[in-house]
Amino acid sequence: MNQADTTGIRSGEVINPAEVQNDAFVQFIGTIRTPFTTRDLCPRQGALDGPDCRLEVLPEWQAALKGIEKFAMLDVLYWLHESRRDLVLQSPKNTGNTVGTFALRSPVRPNPIGLSQVRLIRVEDGAVIVKGLDCLDKTPLIDIKPNRCEYTPEAPFKAADQA
Amino acid sequence: MNQADTTGIRSGEVINPAEVQNDAFVQFIGTIRTPFTTRDLCPRQGALDGPDCRLEVLPEWQAALKGIEKFAMLDVLYWLHESRRDLVLQSPKNTGNTVGTFALRSPVRPNPIGLSQVRLIRVEDGAVIVKGLDCLDKTPLIDIKPNRCEYTPEAPFKAADQA
């Protein structure tokens, strides 16, 4: 247990006072550039016709973009580096009425991982230009996947796929 | 740089030999119980009419499920704890033809975070029963979010939402 930081806590909100557990490491694979340079400029949800954003991939991972251009939609995961991660119940409207963190897409969560479905615009020089993000400029990038809806596994069929 | 482990590497596959960077910590918030007790029993992708799976949330995070029952579809993030995380190019068909890691939904990725859209069946006693998962039994759970498609932010409208 550590001393909970109650700065900015709203009426009814509940903190988990335990320290963050170190169960696994995330490595940042790049940086996301967006026009949203302050939290207030970030939309609550990205729009597929919003501004172009740039997923800048570190040199050692750039080869992993091979073949990505064939997908129209991608899932992007990123680390919401400015978010606290100890709120269990939140009051988004600041009314005293609370909602559980897992019933919200708030950036405040035990693992502050953001997830957006984005439209691929183009790939250029170790970067992917996309539309649909909602995150702060310079947010650390942690993964890019083809969106599930248009993805067919490359690996051969196996019996468990009939389930 | 460390010595790359080339066990099981297929023709054409490329390893990033750098050590995993420790940029941030993930904390496990629970455990996923599925009928898939071996990798071979895991489907390549979950099916929304597949077997019931159980998201068991740790006691300190159970209150964060408040309100989740109103969503039919959830996004579930989990830590693919048995996956290597150094492959840049992969050969899923073992043909020598390679695809970049970010153009695959393979569990082998720099941050082995699995993402499934699942159907909520019911909530019971600190656990959520869902359909649509593809992961091994006892996979660590890292996040649950309402699926974007049916989610409307709870927080009040702000100017940036017009973007």
Side-chain angles (χ1 to χ4, degrees):
Chain A
M1 296 278 194
N2 58 359
Q3 195 68 28
D5 172 11
T6 55
T7 312
I9 293 298
R10 296 167 173 167
S11 169
E13 291 190 329
V14 170
I15 290 176
N16 170 6
E19 298 222 33
V20 174
Q21 300 299 302
N22 304 341
D23 292 317
F25 291 119
V26 166
Q27 55 184 341
F28 300 156
I29 57 157
T31 304
I32 304 180
R33 304 306 309 265
T34 75
F36 314 125
T37 50
T38 67
R39 284 198 199 197
D40 215 48
L41 289 174
C42 294
R44 292 212 195 279
Q45 309 209 71
L48 292 178
D49 58 355
D52 283 5
C53 298
R54 187 177 171 89
L55 311 176
E56 296 184 342
V57 175
L58 291 175
E60 58 269 36
W61 291 109
Q62 289 179 2
L65 296 172
K66 178 183 175 187
I68 202 171
E69 64 283 352
K70 75 174 181 181
F71 298 101
M73 295 292 295
L74 302 171
D75 291 337
V76 178
L77 279 72
Y78 38 99
W79 191 259
L80 300 158
H81 56 304
E82 295 201 2
S83 295
R84 64 185 298 157
R85 49 196 297 190
D86 58 354
L87 287 194
V88 177
L89 292 176
Q90 302 183 40
S91 180
K93 294 179 182 159
N94 203 358
T95 54
N97 294 330
T98 59
V99 182
T101 293
F102 302 138
L104 291 169
R105 289 182 70 93
S106 157
V108 172
R109 38 208 325 115
N111 294 296
I113 297 172
L115 163 66
S116 286
Q117 289 182 24
V118 303
R119 186 187 305 283
L120 188 154
I121 305 299
R122 65 183 181 278
V123 182
E124 59 182 36
D125 264 358
V128 186
I129 313 303
V130 302
K131 286 181 185 289
L133 284 171
D134 54 10
C135 59
L136 268 177
D137 188 33
K138 303 187 184 166
T139 294
L141 177 65
I142 59 178
D143 203 7
I144 308 171
K145 304 177 195 279
N147 182 251
R148 168 78 158 77
C149 299
E150 56 171 328
Y151 182 73
T152 305
E154 295 271 344
F157 185 82
K158 64 177 180 175
D161 295 332
Q162 292 178 303
Chain B
M1 296 276 195
N2 58 0
Q3 193 71 26
D5 172 11
T6 56
T7 311
I9 292 299
R10 296 167 172 168
S11 169
E13 290 189 330
V14 170
I15 290 176
N16 170 8
E19 297 222 34
V20 174
Q21 301 299 303
N22 304 341
D23 293 318
F25 291 119
V26 166
Q27 55 184 344
F28 299 156
I29 56 156
T31 304
I32 304 181
R33 304 306 309 265
T34 75
F36 314 127
T37 51
T38 67
R39 283 197 200 199
D40 215 48
L41 289 174
C42 295
R44 293 211 195 281
Q45 308 209 71
L48 293 179
D49 58 355
D52 282 6
C53 297
R54 186 176 171 92
L55 311 176
E56 296 184 344
V57 175
L58 290 176
E60 58 269 37
W61 291 107
Q62 289 179 2
L65 296 173
K66 179 185 176 188
I68 203 171
E69 65 282 352
K70 77 175 181 183
F71 298 102
M73 296 291 296
L74 303 171
D75 291 338
V76 179
L77 279 71
Y78 38 99
W79 190 260
L80 300 158
H81 56 304
E82 295 202 1
S83 294
R84 65 185 298 157
R85 48 197 297 190
D86 58 354
L87 287 193
V88 177
L89 293 176
Q90 302 183 40
S91 180
K93 295 179 182 159
N94 202 359
T95 55
N97 294 330
T98 59
V99 182
T101 293
F102 302 138
L104 292 169
R105 289 182 71 93
S106 158
V108 172
R109 38 206 328 114
N111 294 297
I113 296 172
L115 163 65
S116 287
Q117 289 181 24
V118 303
R119 185 186 305 282
L120 188 155
I121 305 300
R122 66 181 182 279
V123 182
E124 57 180 39
D125 262 358
V128 187
I129 313 302
V130 301
K131 286 179 184 290
L133 285 170
D134 54 10
C135 60
L136 269 177
D137 187 34
K138 302 185 184 167
T139 294
L141 178 65
I142 59 179
D143 202 5
I144 308 171
K145 303 177 196 279
N147 181 251
R148 168 78 157 75
C149 299
E150 56 171 329
Y151 183 73
T152 305
E154 295 270 343
F157 186 83
K158 63 177 182 177
D161 295 331
Q162 293 179 303

